[in-house]
Amino acid sequence: MSEKLSFVSPTANSPWGTYLSQVDRVVPYLGPLARWVETLKRPKRALIVDVPIEMDDGRIAHYEGYRVQHNMSRGPGKGGVRFHPDVTLEEVMALSAWMTIKTAAVNLPYGGAKGGIRVDPKKLSQNELEKITRRYTSEIGIIIGPHTDIPAPDVNTNGQIMAWMMDTYSMNTGGTATGVVTGKPLHLGGSLGRVKATGRGVFVTGREAARRLGLDLRGARIAVQGFGNVGSVAAELFAEAGAKIVAVQDHTGTIVNSNGLDLATLIPIANKDGVIAFKGGDVVPNEAFWDTACDILIPAALEGQITAERAQKTTAKLVLEGANGPTVPTADDILAERGVLVVPDVICNAGGVTVSYFEWVQDFSSFFWDEDEINVRLDRIMMNALNQIWDTADKHKITLRTATYAVACERILMARQERGLYP
Ligand code: NAD
């Protein structure tokens, strides 16, 4: 009955194609709610904006930006903003859809949204970065707001960028709207625990998955792709629990050390110059990362990294998806056939949006919690969600990913059905 979306042509392994195939796999478990499933296959709203700025050398440069609100059946849109040269409308659509699934999987009162600008921020001065952030915020200001759509950090965006976004929105609306973005600095209504929340969620879900697999974290060998906010924090927490980080890859290259990399020295160096500037490991070709001997693999960079070929050669018994959409559907099938357990992105990396939710609640009540309270609540939400998903997976004998989609899609489509179609 429905027309195909005219503005995307997804391939099987593209982010939107991956998402659509994940939704198709859940349909048999939706019962009568399946009649609503098309609502998950198209974004509610997608905005493309021109972002012109004057560069430091006087040139006028134009960038393309997006904000996609995939689904708001359960609450305001929620999702990060990515600054990266590969950002496209299709990628942002997929990322926004994964946010819809994720917020429902951990039962937060949000829908899903995402934004981005196609730009390499490493080539911008601080002044240019501020200008591009403010103009982009102003352009998407017609659809974001504390009660409609609340952005947050993602790849290459951070607390400073959230502070500029909050200030720009506030200047345009005539107040101080701290609740318009999350991931803000602490003194601007940010929350304790937010910076480490995503990595912490990866650790909490990974520790539980390892326990269920009978995999001892002490001495477990871990390979981490992407060593930014998510990857480095997760690595630190696993190392504290006794694991060895044997391989790390970022945009500069790959380093390995079978005795375990010294994270206290590596992290500040990686933050400044990238992992290959670190001398405590061997630099190897990027493709060698995927067959490094390891027990746990943590993709924490970009989408589409675990291809069928890489899924075939990994030695990991457990994959913890810190990144969004790192595994293409064919690779998912190979990992399942090979008995490799995958904790999917939509639960594994949900710690960030969970503490973003705490931040938003604290902003509205103007009452701030201590870090212990944040972490206790975060761990409880993540564990409850994971246990429920695990029960669903056991009941239907399906993967954790399909089980997460089953739990989440039921919540989303039930909300859609109860609200009814307008008009
Ligand atoms: P970040 O910008 O802090 O770090 C990204 C890392 O990926 C960097 O180490 C970068 O060098 C590396 N990278 C980039 N391109 C690469 C490539 N081609 N090959 C290998 N490494 C590459 O970003 P982040 O916030 O840590 O986000 C990482 C992933 O986690 C993304 O998929 C993001 O959507 C997801 N995520 C982030 C959050 C969050 O709270 N920050 C929450 C949920 C999911």
Side-chain angles (χ1 to χ4, degrees), residues 4-185:
K4 280 212 161 105
L5 293 180
S6 61
F7 50 91
V8 281
S9 37
T11 57
N13 290 337
S14 67
W16 184 248
T18 296
Y19 166 73
L20 291 180
S21 123
Q22 291 163 345
V23 170
D24 284 339
R25 288 173 184 210
V26 83
V27 175
Y29 308 99
L30 293 178
L33 286 172
R35 70 186 278 258
W36 292 95
V37 80
E38 187 66 23
T39 198
L40 296 168
K41 295 189 174 186
R42 44 192 68 227
K44 172 183 173 63
R45 194 176 281 135
L47 182 64
I48 304 178
V49 294
D50 175 37
V51 187
I53 59 165
E54 185 177 2
M55 307 296 276
D56 294 346
D57 63 6
R59 279 179 305 127
I60 307 295
H62 289 257
Y63 296 92
E64 195 165 300
Y66 312 94
R67 186 73 190 170
V68 177
Q69 296 169 343
H70 173 259
N71 190 290
M72 295 174 152
S73 296
R74 302 179 64 257
K78 187 86 193 82
V81 172
R82 177 175 293 195
F83 289 178
H84 194 277
D86 297 335
V87 166
T88 61
L89 174 61
E90 193 204 309
E91 181 190 47
V92 177
M93 280 168 55
L95 291 166
S96 71
W98 284 320
M99 288 308 298
T100 302
I101 305 293
K102 193 182 304 181
T103 55
V106 282
N107 215 359
L108 304 177
Y110 288 133
K114 201 86 179 191
I117 306 178
R118 186 158 58 250
V119 60
D120 184 353
K122 294 186 175 66
K123 294 189 177 146
L124 299 182
S125 69
Q126 186 79 347
N127 177 43
E128 291 163 345
L129 190 63
E130 177 171 353
K131 281 185 183 169
I132 199 170
T133 302
R134 287 187 180 277
R135 181 61 188 252
Y136 167 73
T137 309
S138 227
E139 294 296 336
I140 65 166
I142 51 173
I143 61 167
I144 64 166
H147 297 286
T148 47
D149 180 2
I150 307 115
D154 190 71
V155 174
N156 290 330
T157 56
N158 56 21
Q160 175 61 74
I161 287 172
M162 295 306 113
W164 289 328
M165 289 188 75
M166 186 275 263
D167 183 69
T168 305
Y169 182 86
S170 298
M171 290 297 115
N172 286 344
T173 53
T176 294
T178 52
V180 69
V181 290
T182 56
K184 299 179 296 294

Side-chain angles (χ1 to χ4, degrees), residues 82 84 95 102 114 153-156 194 198 225-231 249-251 300-303 305 322-324 349 352:
R82 177 175 293 195
H84 194 277
L95 291 166
K102 193 182 304 181
K114 201 86 179 191
D154 190 71
V155 174
N156 290 330
R194 175 61 186 91
T198 308
Q225 187 206 29
F227 208 57
N229 175 282
V230 180
Q249 180 179 97
D250 73 359
H251 70 284
L302 300 171
E303 307 88 57
Q305 296 299 302
N324 287 307
N349 70 32

Side-chain angles (χ1 to χ4, degrees), residues 206-215 341 383 386-391 394 400:
R207 182 181 55 190
E208 175 62 11
R211 187 190 69 75
R212 288 181 181 240
L213 279 181
L215 174 64
L341 182 67
M383 285 299 293
L386 185 66
N387 288 332
Q388 184 181 4
I389 287 159
W390 219 295
D391 289 347
D394 286 347
L400 286 181

